[in-house]
Amino acid sequence: MPLMNLGFLASHRGSNMQAVIDACHTGRLRAKPCVVISNNSHAEALTRAKQAGIPAYHVSSKTHPSPEQLDAEILRLLLQHQVELVLLAGYLRKLGVQTLRWYRNRIINIHPALLPKFGGQGMYGAAVHEAVLAARETETGVTIHLVDEEYDHGVILAQCRMPVLAEDTVASLVQRVLEREHSFLIETLERIIAGELILPS
Ligand code: GRF
């Protein structure tokens, strides 16, 4: 079976991306990280990509002031690197219509809560876990979903649930959920690559 070509879009740290890269390199994932694109020229994700020998690009409104050209450039890079599946790994921008159309049902996002709750614009990082605690939820978790025009909105592909413990704080949830994200993303990609979890055509 050939390797599945992966492309990443990431705005900051890129720890989920790193987990996937590592799983590709150990052979656990039958996939190849082909390109990393960031809207943030200082993103740690770009440094991680370069260290792993993966082509890395800064593409943003600074490099492409027109939204249509920015969208076209992202799509061009994904196609140039023959990406089959796009992973949003902490990417804090909406994708443009050209990229969304071309890669319809082939772009996935990971979110540190049980969508459809606690998603949407601004629901990133600690804000998600603050909202979970403020709502006195007894459960939280990780959601992996298809990407569409709205933030954190597309079809849910996989979720894993975790208890919110009485002693949990924002910091403890940040850490515990992120650790689970890394393993759950690999598990879910394994199922996608093996054809057990079928993406809509
Ligand atoms: C993760 O919590 C992910 O769920 C969310 O953004 C965060 C990115 O973290 N979409 P990292 O950049 O992968 O470390």
Side-chain angles (χ1 to χ4, degrees), residues 13-17 89-90 109-112 124 178 181:
R13 183 177 50 195
S15 71
N16 277 290
M17 180 193 83
N109 182 45
I110 182 161
H111 186 79
Y124 174 77
L178 185 66
E181 280 186 58

Side-chain angles (χ1 to χ4, degrees), residues 45-162:
L46 289 177
T47 310
R48 291 179 190 267
K50 286 173 197 151
Q51 280 167 354
I54 301 164
Y57 302 89
H58 165 226
V59 183
S60 72
S61 56
K62 288 194 180 130
T63 62
H64 295 76
S66 139
E68 289 75 25
Q69 283 171 7
L70 173 61
D71 182 16
E73 178 63 4
I74 289 173
L75 179 57
R76 191 189 70 76
L77 287 169
L78 294 172
L79 292 173
Q80 180 192 321
H81 291 280
Q82 300 183 337
V83 169
E84 295 167 279
L85 184 67
V86 181
L87 272 64
L88 302 194
Y91 186 64
L92 301 184
R93 291 282 180 277
K94 278 190 183 173
L95 288 172
V97 289
Q98 300 171 69
T99 305
L100 284 171
R101 198 178 301 137
W102 190 279
Y103 279 101
R104 187 175 149 73
N105 296 331
R106 293 294 177 275
I107 308 175
I108 66 175
N109 182 45
I110 182 161
H111 186 79
L114 294 173
L115 292 174
K117 285 181 167 180
F118 311 113
Q121 188 156 22
M123 274 297 182
Y124 174 77
V128 177
H129 305 296
E130 275 166 21
V132 167
L133 288 175
R136 300 188 178 279
E137 295 287 326
T138 55
E139 269 190 331
T140 186
V142 180
T143 302
I144 294 177
H145 65 95
L146 292 174
V147 171
D148 65 11
E149 294 76 10
E150 292 179 46
Y151 286 110
D152 302 326
H153 179 263
V155 170
I156 292 173
L157 296 173
Q159 278 186 317
C160 76
R161 311 180 92 83
M162 307 167 60

